[in-house]
Every structure is written in C-alpha cells, then in structure tokens.
Amino acid sequence: MDNNENKNQETELEEVKTEEAVETAEKAVDNADEAEEAQPEKEPVLSFEYDVKNEEEERAFLAFQKKFVYAHNWKITAAFGVVAVLFIVSIVRNPSGYLNWVLAFICLAIIVLTWYNTRRIRKYLMQALKPLEDDKYVFTLYDDSFKIETLPTEEEKQEEDFTPVPPRIVGFEDISLNVLENDEMFIIILKKETIYVLAKRVMNEQQQETLRKTFSELLDSDYEMIDNK
C-alpha cells in the first residue's frame, strides 16, 4: 500500500510539474507576442504602388544581360574566334584538310549559339512574365532596407485556397544588391538572380530623387546610371 501511495504521489507531482512547465511556456509565448506587438514599426522613407509592363521587363532584363552576361559572351566570342581564325588559316594553306573545316565550323557555331541562347532566354522569360503584367505591387523604402509586396485582386481574395504572397524584405547590408538607373526606370538586381523593375512613370520627381540618393549613398559603386540603349 505504501509503495502504491508513493507512486501515486510521484505521478501527481510529475503532472503538477508538467502543468507548470506548460503554463510557463505559454506565458513566454504570450510575452514574446506582446513584445513584438509593442515594438514600433519602422517609419518608411517612401512608399508607392506600381505595376510593370512586359516591354519594361524586357528592357530591364536586356540591361541586366548587358551588365552581367555580355562580358562572358564576349570572352567566349574572343576565345573561339581566335581558334576559328587559326583553323581558317590552316584551311587556306591546305583546303583539302577536312578536320580543319569541321573544327572551324564548331568554333563559329559555339559563338552563334552563345548569343542566340542569350536572346532566347530573354524571349522565353518575357513570355513567362506576360500573364503577370496586370499585377500590382507596393514598394516601401526604409533607411536600411526596402520591402516589395504583391497586392492580391478581389477575385484572388475570394478563392477558397487563397494564400497571400509574403512580402520580400531586403536589407542593404544583408544581400548582394545592384541597382541600374536609366531615364525610364530603376532596375534592382538581387544576387544577379532576381530583378525588380520600378518604372519612373509611377513615381513623382521627389520619389525618384529619394530613391536615387538612397541607392547611390548606400550602394556606392553597385549603383550605376546607364543609358536606354
């Protein structure tokens, strides 16, 4: 009997400890939520709604390719061009050399395919982005970061399986970031992988100047003015 009573007491003590631990964890969660709610939201420097036309996306991606892809293409062109010239010289000296013809053709084909694939990728990307042309976004700039949100349509909100797209928040100190500016737009390039286009037609002069000043001061050489060609 004594052993049973001891076991029952131990079980009750363990249950009490478990309940106390659960209560402590719940209080910790509640306190964390309250602290998060109490933390004031950062004051934005500017914020505006925008959209992106397909032709603007294409011009922006072309500017990206000229900045980061064309240099690689020109290296390939130069390397295989020199080799092709050597084979062509050999063909002139010995026109019957079948292998020289084949190798020269391969070098020239690689050059053509390099530039063709660059254009093909841009074409297919624009086709993929075409359905998103009517989407609306909100760009918000802070002192140390910026945020891009996708605005859902009323039809999307009424769908049963609707899930809002989480906003993309980019800290100026946390990520590889380049910004190109021309007369039409600001082109934001993240890690040379993701491109955001902010057309100047959706901004007033003060907003443009604020963006220009912020990007140029925080990014230094990673911000660049380019022409529209």
Side-chain angles (χ1 to χ4, degrees):
M1 293 291 293
D2 292 339
N3 290 335
N4 290 335
E5 289 180 358
N6 289 336
K7 290 181 179 179
N8 290 336
Q9 290 177 354
E10 291 176 357
T11 301
E12 291 176 356
L13 182 59
E14 290 177 357
E15 290 178 352
V16 170
K17 290 181 177 179
T18 301
E19 291 177 356
E20 290 177 349
V22 171
E23 290 178 359
T24 301
E26 290 177 347
K27 289 180 180 179
V29 172
D30 292 339
N31 291 336
D33 291 341
E34 290 176 0
E36 184 176 353
E37 291 176 358
Q39 186 177 2
E41 185 178 353
K42 290 188 295 185
E43 186 70 22
V45 176
L46 64 82
S47 183
F48 56 84
E49 184 177 323
Y50 73 99
D51 63 334
V52 186
K53 303 302 180 184
N54 200 240
E55 57 269 19
E56 293 170 340
E57 293 272 16
E58 184 172 8
R59 289 195 291 273
F61 191 69
L62 178 59
F64 162 79
Q65 289 184 320
K66 288 180 178 179
K67 177 68 176 178
F68 298 106
V69 180
Y70 277 22
H72 175 70
N73 287 6
W74 282 117
K75 289 179 182 178
I76 292 177
T77 300
F80 283 94
V82 169
V83 176
V85 169
L86 294 177
F87 286 125
I88 292 172
V89 171
S90 297
I91 291 171
V92 172
R93 292 177 179 177
N94 182 19
S96 61
Y98 173 76
L99 183 59
N100 288 334
W101 286 91
V102 173
L103 295 177
F105 174 80
I106 291 175
C107 291
L108 295 175
I110 290 174
I111 295 173
V112 172
L113 286 174
T114 297
W115 292 99
Y116 170 76
N117 285 334
T118 300
R119 181 178 180 181
R120 181 176 61 88
I121 290 171
R122 185 169 69 248
K123 178 182 177 182
Y124 286 156
L125 179 62
M126 293 310 106
Q127 291 176 348
L129 293 176
K130 185 65 176 177
L132 305 179
E133 192 171 21
D134 295 328
D135 286 4
K136 304 292 184 182
Y137 310 92
V138 173
F139 178 87
T140 304
L141 178 69
Y142 300 96
D143 290 330
D144 59 351
S145 61
F146 65 83
K147 177 173 66 176
I148 294 180
E149 301 172 88
T150 301
L151 297 179
T153 63
E154 292 300 325
E155 292 78 6
E156 290 173 336
K157 291 179 181 179
Q158 294 174 2
E159 295 177 358
E160 294 183 359
D161 58 347
F162 168 69
T163 302
V165 179
R168 179 68 184 268
I169 301 176
V170 179
F172 290 115
E173 300 291 337
D174 301 334
I175 196 168
S176 175
L177 179 66
N178 296 84
V179 174
L180 306 177
E181 180 189 355
N182 60 24
D183 293 340
E184 297 180 297
M185 65 188 76
F186 292 89
I187 306 166
I188 301 174
I189 304 167
L190 309 182
K191 296 182 178 179
K192 298 182 177 64
E193 297 174 353
T194 305
I195 299 175
Y196 293 108
V197 181
L198 303 178
K200 291 183 178 180
R201 59 179 173 79
V202 303
M203 294 177 258
N204 58 40
E205 291 293 335
Q206 182 178 0
Q207 290 171 331
Q208 294 178 33
E209 182 58 33
T210 300
L211 277 180
R212 185 178 301 111
K213 181 179 179 181
T214 301
F215 288 144
S216 62
E217 290 180 353
L218 295 178
L219 301 180
D220 195 21
S221 61
D222 290 326
Y223 162 81
E224 182 180 349
M225 287 287 298
I226 61 174
D227 57 38
N228 293 344
K229 297 181 181 179

